Amino acid sequence: AEQAARAARDAGGAQHLFFDRELNAGARDRVLLENELRQAIQGGQLCMHYQAKVDARNGALMGAEALVRWQHPQRGLVPPGRFIPMAEECGLIGPLTDWVLEAACASLRRWSDRGLRTVPLSVNLPASSLADPSLLEQLERLMQRHRLSPASLMLELTETMLMRDLPATSQVLARLRDRGFGLSLDDFGTGYSSLSHLQRLPMNELKIDRAFITDVARGGRDSALATAIITLGRELGLQVVAEGVETDEQSQFLLARGCELQQGYLFSRPLPEEAFELLLRRGSTLSVPTAAAA
Ligand code: C2E
Ligand code: MG
Ligand code: MG
Ligand code: MG
């Protein structure tokens, strides 16, 4: 019995040791990656891509979403899903958001200086931002420094972050909106906000999550939900945007239900600043759904 116990202990010990080693490797990797991200924020490895938001009836450019990317010297272009959560966990989300806001405003100013008709830029804000008492002041300073109007920025927030402390966030939102900033509820339908909450939030826009758009033209449950969200948004006087529109069928389906504002690969991928500038010059994207174009 003692032998068996020792064997079990040894096995457990060995397993433990193995696990420890894996964990240590993970932790070491993480510290490395965190340091890299810190350097990336300071050292110019981040860049913004811009994705068109269009009126699907004619492809007219109505806005754009600013999406951050990390140009890692070895790993290549790292998508935000891979480093935003890490930035949130290790306290780098503040500096990262500062960088994103600065970059988006600098782009708007550059486009204006080049005589381009700019469109409002949507910027994704992290959950922590609304708890930051200096957010409004920071945004106003940015507007002054880049000589922009608050209406040229739309702040994208998710349901989950708004529901954390509804009375407090409603106040912050009301103040932002009073100052003229646009407010968009991103990824709508995936969170837990109740419909009565939605009515009390001072939003300008509601973005239907891509999950509802994916098989919308096949008449399944998602199409019923997408239809309901469009109706709801319109009834509440909100601008409704569909994100992740990839096919003609999806676009047509949404158009038939009165959702004209669409964003997705069908119209344009997120583009580096210079490529997006070409869309600004044209004032529209190349592709519109075939039936709308006809
Ligand atoms: P999101 O705000 O919902 O952004 C939309 C995402 O869908 C983007 O992914 C975009 O590239 C992608 N997308 C657009 N059209 C299509 C399409 O037709 N098909 C498919 N399959 N995907 C499409 P991305 O750029 O990887 O960003 C992912 C998420 O990371 C964003 O989701 C947003 O939550 C977050 N994020 C991006 N940039 C920032 C940022 O600057 N700050 C913060 N805090 N979060 C950001
Ligand atoms: Mg977004
Ligand atoms: Mg979204
Ligand atoms: Mg989404």
Side-chain angles (χ1 to χ4, degrees):
E2 208 193 298
Q3 213 171 22
R6 198 185 314 126
R9 206 165 48 232
D10 284 355
Q15 218 174 354
H16 196 176
L17 220 158
F18 178 71
F19 192 55
D20 259 7
R21 226 188 287 139
E22 286 240 298
L23 253 188
N24 284 339
R28 215 173 27 243
D29 263 8
R30 219 185 138 80
V31 171
L32 275 178
L33 208 65
E34 280 178 22
N35 282 331
E36 285 183 15
L37 181 56
R38 188 169 290 117
Q39 280 164 17
I41 297 169
Q42 295 162 352
Q45 286 174 25
L46 296 182
C47 68
M48 296 312 292
H49 280 194
Y50 297 105
Q51 185 180 36
K53 174 165 94 183
V54 305
D55 181 332
R57 290 171 299 184
N58 49 24
L61 198 63
M62 306 304 285
E65 180 169 7
L67 297 158
V68 71
R69 269 100 184 86
W70 178 2
Q71 280 174 309
H72 191 282
Q74 283 90 41
R75 296 170 216 252
L77 207 63
V78 186
R82 299 263 302 279
F83 63 92
I84 297 279
M86 185 174 79
E88 283 179 324
E89 280 166 35
C90 68
L92 288 172
I93 193 66
L96 189 141
T97 304
D98 293 348
W99 188 90
V100 164
L101 284 167
E102 173 65 30
C105 291
S107 291
L108 281 168
R109 170 63 12 226
R110 257 191 304 278
W111 294 328
S112 269
D113 286 346
R114 291 177 193 161
L116 295 165
R117 185 191 70 94
T118 62
V119 290
L121 273 189
S122 299
V123 177
N124 294 283
L125 289 186
S128 54
S129 57
L130 287 183
D132 178 355
S134 61
L135 176 68
L136 181 61
E137 199 190 312
Q138 178 190 9
L139 289 170
E140 299 213 300
R141 257 185 284 123
L142 274 170
M143 295 301 102
Q144 275 179 8
R145 196 150 43 77
H146 293 280
R147 287 171 290 123
L148 298 170
S149 117
S152 60
L153 268 198
M154 184 157 252
L155 309 171
E156 291 199 1
L157 312 152
T158 62
E159 287 171 82
T160 336
M161 65 190 271
L162 298 184
M163 291 311 131
R164 280 189 185 170
D165 181 359
L166 193 64
T169 32
S170 301
Q171 259 190 14
V172 177
L173 294 181
R175 232 171 279 138
L176 288 167
R177 199 167 132 175
D178 285 348
R179 296 299 303 150
F181 294 100
L183 298 177
S184 172
L185 194 50
D186 199 0
D187 300 342
F188 186 75
T190 59
Y192 298 98
S193 58
S194 80
L195 300 181
S196 64
H197 288 150
L198 183 60
Q199 196 178 15
R200 274 187 274 141
L201 292 169
M203 290 291 151
N204 303 91
E205 179 185 276
L206 196 152
K207 271 185 131 166
I208 312 173
D209 192 70
R210 177 156 60 88
F212 300 107
I213 308 302
T214 308
D215 65 13
V216 96
R218 285 187 224 123
R221 271 177 66 218
D222 283 352
S223 70
L225 288 172
T227 304
I229 294 173
I230 295 167
T231 310
L232 174 70
R234 286 162 53 118
E235 290 293 322
L236 292 174
L238 301 173
Q239 167 173 307
V240 180
V241 182
E243 71 174 12
V245 178
E246 293 183 349
T247 69
D248 234 40
E249 292 71 35
Q250 292 165 350
S251 183
Q252 297 296 345
F253 177 96
L254 293 159
L255 269 181
R257 280 150 191 83
C259 180
E260 284 115 21
L261 286 173
Q262 300 179 15
Q263 188 182 327
Y265 297 167
L266 175 64
F267 302 99
S268 172
R269 298 229 163 211
L271 301 170
E273 177 163 339
E274 313 75 59
F276 180 73
E277 225 177 276
L278 296 178
L279 294 189
L280 273 179
R281 286 184 197 283
R282 297 168 42 97
S284 67
T285 54
L286 288 168
S287 55
V288 292
T290 42

